[in-house]
Amino acid sequence: MTEQYDTVYRGGQGEIVEKKSRFIATVRPVGTEEEALAFVEEMRKKYWDARHNCWAYVLGERQELMRCSDDGEPSQTAGKPMMDVLTGAGLTDTAVVVTRYFGGTLLGTGGLVRAYSAAVREGLKDSLVITKYRGTRLTVETDYNDLGRLQYLFGQRGLRLLDASYTDKVSFSVLAKASEADRIKNEVTEAVGGRAKLEESESLYFAELDGEYICFL
């Protein structure tokens, strides 16, 4: 697992017109190659009357799998430039299809590269990109006397209390970046003199969106 990576959480669509040719970029988050290929086929059916449906996708936490297609355009003028936009933005688990309706004027190889690249950038502008962090869920059990100290500590670290339960003890969890987990555990121990019970309950990826945590197991 990598410490963090960027991906599309919600896909979007963008369009440019170059010398009367329409370039429609559709971006979609994908988790597997099967999902990516199914998305390509979906776009081919949707835009069945277009001259070209070029595509590219990048998969894997370290962008291990990359595939693209020019779909009849001159070699290296569509799929590869599209993929370069995705990788240049640091994105993975993302697919894009650019549909071209030919406008009657040839653009040349350089013009095609610029047009397909620009279309993907427009599609990304309409998409929601998030950063996924490798994290761990820390479960804390403490008494009421120490709760204020821990709330202050976690507030200083930008961590919010989740799943709080108040009985004779207080039990809650926090999501922390994996790289910071040991330091946070040490700080908790120091803050309350070792009186709190603390466990790492699971490893996962998480992101923050609109003030809420999204977990990816």
Side-chain angles (χ1 to χ4, degrees):
M1 299 175 75
T2 59
E3 292 302 315
Q4 67 182 71
Y5 64 91
D6 292 341
T7 188
V8 168
Y9 180 69
R10 184 181 65 239
Q13 190 171 84
E15 179 177 341
I16 68 166
V17 177
E18 187 68 29
K19 295 182 179 179
K20 298 184 180 180
S21 281
R22 294 176 62 202
F23 295 83
I24 306 167
T26 307
V27 179
R28 182 80 58 85
V30 291
T32 65
E33 190 165 22
E34 288 75 19
E35 286 183 22
L37 294 174
F39 164 58
V40 171
E41 189 59 29
E42 176 188 337
M43 291 300 100
R44 281 176 173 162
K45 290 179 180 178
K46 179 177 180 179
Y47 297 108
W48 59 270
D49 57 339
R51 177 169 290 194
H52 305 284
N53 283 290
C54 306
W55 52 266
Y57 57 82
V58 183
L59 293 165
E61 296 168 6
R62 297 180 176 84
Q63 300 179 324
E64 296 94 339
L65 180 60
M66 295 183 284
R67 298 282 188 271
C68 63
S69 170
D70 297 310
D71 193 36
E73 292 282 29
S75 179
Q76 304 290 300
T77 63
K80 180 62 163 55
M82 291 165 57
M83 190 168 64
D84 288 344
V85 174
L86 297 181
T87 57
L91 296 173
T92 190
D93 291 350
T94 302
V96 59
V97 175
V98 175
T99 301
R100 181 189 182 190
Y101 285 95
F102 184 56
T105 302
L106 297 176
L107 301 182
T109 57
L112 287 171
V113 169
R114 288 188 294 271
Y116 278 100
S117 299
V120 175
R121 287 191 288 268
E122 287 299 309
L124 290 176
K125 287 179 184 178
D126 190 52
S127 304
L128 178 59
V129 175
I130 60 172
T131 300
K132 288 185 178 181
Y133 297 96
R134 185 168 71 90
T136 184
R137 185 185 294 272
L138 302 176
T139 301
V140 182
E141 184 179 273
T142 187
D143 60 36
Y144 288 87
N145 293 328
D146 291 329
L147 178 60
R149 296 187 183 91
L150 294 181
Q151 287 175 321
Y152 177 78
L153 170 64
F154 291 131
Q156 290 292 101
R157 297 291 173 263
L159 305 175
R160 284 172 304 185
L161 278 58
L162 308 172
D163 308 322
S165 173
Y166 300 90
T167 55
D168 58 323
K169 295 277 190 178
V170 182
S171 178
F172 59 88
S173 62
V174 296
L175 287 177
K177 295 177 183 177
S179 59
E180 299 176 357
D182 288 341
R183 176 173 61 83
I184 291 171
K185 287 189 289 186
N186 290 335
E187 290 177 346
V188 168
T189 299
E190 293 176 5
V192 296
R195 291 184 296 275
K197 180 181 178 182
L198 192 149
E199 296 179 348
E200 290 189 41
S201 56
E202 63 178 333
S203 296
L204 71 170
Y205 276 106
F206 72 93
E208 190 170 0
L209 179 62
D210 297 330
E212 300 293 332
Y213 287 124
I214 308 169
C215 297
F216 305 89
L217 300 177

